[in-house]
């Protein structure tokens, strides 16, 4: 019999993950703070839990994928939180992006009640979530990852075991810092070209044939040229990740000078944005200054 899966957090990433878990035939219980968002998955066969605790108590394997550290603390330790419901021998997989320190705190709380824990943030965006092709960066024990891999296969395609709990989040923060810097650098180059009266698409064409070639040119440049900033990975979440990376650097006693500059630039765009925008909206920085 297939293990029963729980899923807390039905945002841009969680909702398509839920749909793929159902498609793969896993019995699924979901919970989301805004209850209406559970309706679509309920129509596809998911049970809707009354609280995070209720979702956890029904699950052999529970996923959480919520916005940020306070959201994760709320669903785990808040009113009728999931930790109070998790059964002995079950597995908690947190796919939110949070601090490595919080991941280690969750790991300790799980160990205290004989629950296994993996920090397993993802990359791939909404596109990867919809296709079931997410890439997981995992911190935790190999035997736990092996145990849940058949479930992860329903939502992802690669699973990197990076070290003990916290290591998944550490690598995720470093990766998103690099992505934020790449897209910011691309925006600066585009602005330099545009403000000089040269067509910005020409820069992309040349970059595609040069050593500067990178996947962000395929994924983000077309939207930056069209100035379509519909959120795939919202800027507010990228800003949260840069902040978490800066905090980790401070704990480690190292400086991230370009990270600090990127934090400033993304913050300015967020402050000026009138709606939720993708982080590619960093290309609109110059409209605001
Ligand atoms: P979204 O689309 O912003 O979704 C965020 C989810 O987190 C959504 O289900 C929210 O519920 C939930 N949330 C936010 N705050 C809380 C609190 N305080 N309590 C309970 N639930 C909460 O984000 P994504 O799906 O794109 O990303 C999720 C994570 O993956 C994030 O860490 C990214 O950096 C990577 P709501 O529907 O608003 O009630």
């Amino acid at each position: 019999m297939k293990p029963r899966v729980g899923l807390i957090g039905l945002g841009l990433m969680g909702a398509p993950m839920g749909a793929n878990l159902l498609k793969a035939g896993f019995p699924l219980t979901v919970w989301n703070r805004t209850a209406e968002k559970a309706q679509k998955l309920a129509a596809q066969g998911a049970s809707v839990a009354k609280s995070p605790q209720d979702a956890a108590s029904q699950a052999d394997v529970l996923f959480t994928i919520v916005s940020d550290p306070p959201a994760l603390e709320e669903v785990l330790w808040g009113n009728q939180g999931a930790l109070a419901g998790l059964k002995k021998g079950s597995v908690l997989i947190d796919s939110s992006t949070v601090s490595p320190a919080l991941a280690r705190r969750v790991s300790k709380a799980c160990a205290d009640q004989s629950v296994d824990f993996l920090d397993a943030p993802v990359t791939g965006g909404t596109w990867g979530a919809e296709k079931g092709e997410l890439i997981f960066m995992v911190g935790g024990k190999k035997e736990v990852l092996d145990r849940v891999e058949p479930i992860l296969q329903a939502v992802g395609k690669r699973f990197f075991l990076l070290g003990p709990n916290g290591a998944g989040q550490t690598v995720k923060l470093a990766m998103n810092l690099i992505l934020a810097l790449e897209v910011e650098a691309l925006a600066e180059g585009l602005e330099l070209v545009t403000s000089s009266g040269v067509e910005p698409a020409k820069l992309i064409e040349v970059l595609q044939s040069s050593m500067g070639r990178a996947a962000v040119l395929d994924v983000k440049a077309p939207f930056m040229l069209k100035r379509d900033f519909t959120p795939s990975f919202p800027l507010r979440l990228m800003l949260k990740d840069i902040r978490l990376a800066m905090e980790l650097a401070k704990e480690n006693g190292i400086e991230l000078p370009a990270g600090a500059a990127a934090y400033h630039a993304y913050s300015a765009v967020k402050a000026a944005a009138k709606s939720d925008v993708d982080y590619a909206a960093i290309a609109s920085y110059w409209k605001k200054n």
Side-chain angles (χ1 to χ4, degrees):
M1 216 172 65
K2 291 208 176 207
R4 179 147 206 108
V5 180
L7 174 62
I8 292 177
L10 304 176
L12 287 170
M13 300 296 287
M17 284 170 74
N20 283 323
L21 287 163
L22 286 170
K23 246 187 254 164
F26 290 101
L28 182 70
T29 306
V30 297
W31 183 85
N32 194 63
R33 178 180 61 175
T34 308
E36 301 92 86
K37 289 194 197 165
Q39 289 319 310
K40 208 167 154 199
L41 287 174
Q44 292 164 34
S47 311
V48 180
K50 293 192 290 292
S51 63
Q53 181 176 356
D54 184 28
S57 67
Q58 297 178 44
D60 300 310
V61 174
L62 178 71
F63 284 93
T64 45
I65 179 152
V66 292
S67 314
D68 52 15
L72 183 64
E73 289 179 328
E74 179 68 32
V75 298
L76 293 181
W77 284 286
N79 186 27
Q80 300 192 61
L83 279 171
L86 281 167
K87 297 180 289 198
K88 248 187 193 178
S90 62
V91 181
L92 173 63
I93 303 174
D94 177 44
S95 290
S96 325
T97 302
V98 298
S99 64
L102 177 56
R104 287 190 287 269
R105 192 147 69 82
V106 178
S107 163
K108 166 88 176 56
C110 285
D112 288 348
Q113 56 187 81
S114 304
V115 168
D116 285 308
F117 174 66
L118 298 175
D119 50 298
V122 290
T123 188
T126 46
W127 187 85
E130 279 155 21
K131 293 231 166 215
E133 293 187 353
L134 291 169
I135 292 157
F136 284 79
M137 288 154 272
V138 183
K141 294 193 188 113
K142 182 172 183 312
E143 53 98 2
V144 180
L145 177 59
D146 289 346
R147 200 149 33 102
V148 298
E149 206 169 306
I151 302 172
L152 292 181
Q153 292 283 2
V155 287
K157 63 172 179 186
R158 306 241 3 223
F159 319 100
F160 292 95
L161 183 61
L162 301 163
N165 284 135
Q169 296 293 356
T170 302
V171 171
K172 170 74 196 259
L173 293 182
M175 197 192 62
N176 269 14
L177 175 69
I178 293 166
L179 281 178
L181 293 174
E182 275 190 70
V183 173
E184 202 278 336
L186 181 57
E188 289 200 11
L190 286 172
E191 190 63 19
L192 191 61
V193 166
T194 309
S195 62
S196 305
V198 175
E199 203 189 315
K202 299 281 180 209
L203 171 64
I204 305 300
E205 205 180 323
V206 176
L207 274 173
Q208 289 282 26
S209 322
S210 78
M211 202 178 88
R213 176 157 167 60
V216 289
L217 294 177
D218 301 328
V219 179
K220 293 294 178 193
F223 293 101
M224 292 164 90
L225 291 174
K226 279 190 289 183
R227 308 194 79 77
D228 173 357
F229 303 131
T230 311
S232 169
F233 183 51
L235 188 146
R236 64 186 157 81
L237 293 178
M238 181 56 103
L239 192 57
K240 175 254 312 182
D241 292 352
I242 305 171
R243 181 177 54 75
L244 290 171
M246 301 300 293
E247 285 169 10
L248 182 59
K250 200 169 164 201
E251 279 168 37
N252 295 354
I254 60 159
E255 240 188 281
L256 301 177
Y263 185 76
H264 172 78
Y266 280 100
S267 297
V269 174
K270 179 167 178 275
K274 293 187 178 59
S275 59
D276 207 15
V277 288
D278 191 80
Y279 76 104
I282 189 67
S284 59
Y285 175 84
W286 294 269
K287 291 268 178 293
K288 317 293 168 203
N289 291 280

